[in-house]
Amino acid sequence: MRRADVAAAARGWVGTPYRHQASMKAVGCDCLGLVRGVWREVLGAEPELVPPYSPDWAEAARRETLLEAAARNFIPAEGVEAGRLLVFRWRRGMPAKHVGVAVSATRFVHAYDSAGRAVEGDLAPMWRRRLVATFDFPGVTD
């Protein structure tokens, strides 16, 4: 699988309405649902069952659940390149709680409540400050 394949799959989700815990292209997704859907498109079956989670799961758990899951299922990487999983922290001192997929070194696809849908946007300074880890999807060859 090529990075371009992952980026193209992520771009296919743009416009999908935001729906907490959902993961169906054109029907609904949240940030994790978007990544789960991209995984299914490029790799097949998801590696883990995702338990139900509340909108405030990270604040309530005070654990790096999202980073731990990314480390179990993705390959740690350095820098932003097309096809990489990006993990963000909304606030300093809080667990990572947001993910997206890079479609270039400067743009990414993600879904969040205030956008109301999955969007492609610039990896602007505000997002770069919140970026805490990058990962490759398993099997990426270029």
Side-chain angles (χ1 to χ4, degrees), residues 61-83:
R62 303 289 291 182
R63 258 187 77 209
E64 290 289 0
T65 307
L66 193 59
L67 271 175
E68 291 166 9
R72 282 193 307 272
N73 297 292
F74 293 81
I75 311 302
E78 292 292 326
V80 177
E81 290 187 43

Side-chain angles (χ1 to χ4, degrees), residues 19-79:
R19 299 282 183 270
H20 177 67
Q21 294 190 39
S23 184
M24 293 183 67
K25 188 192 293 189
V27 175
C29 70
D30 59 10
C31 67
L32 180 57
L34 168 94
V35 171
R36 290 173 53 214
V38 170
W39 180 289
R40 290 190 308 266
E41 286 182 40
V42 298
L43 294 172
E46 295 174 52
E48 293 186 22
L49 176 65
V50 177
Y53 51 94
S54 66
D56 67 344
W57 64 269
E59 294 84 355
R62 303 289 291 182
R63 258 187 77 209
E64 290 289 0
T65 307
L66 193 59
L67 271 175
E68 291 166 9
R72 282 193 307 272
N73 297 292
F74 293 81
I75 311 302
E78 292 292 326

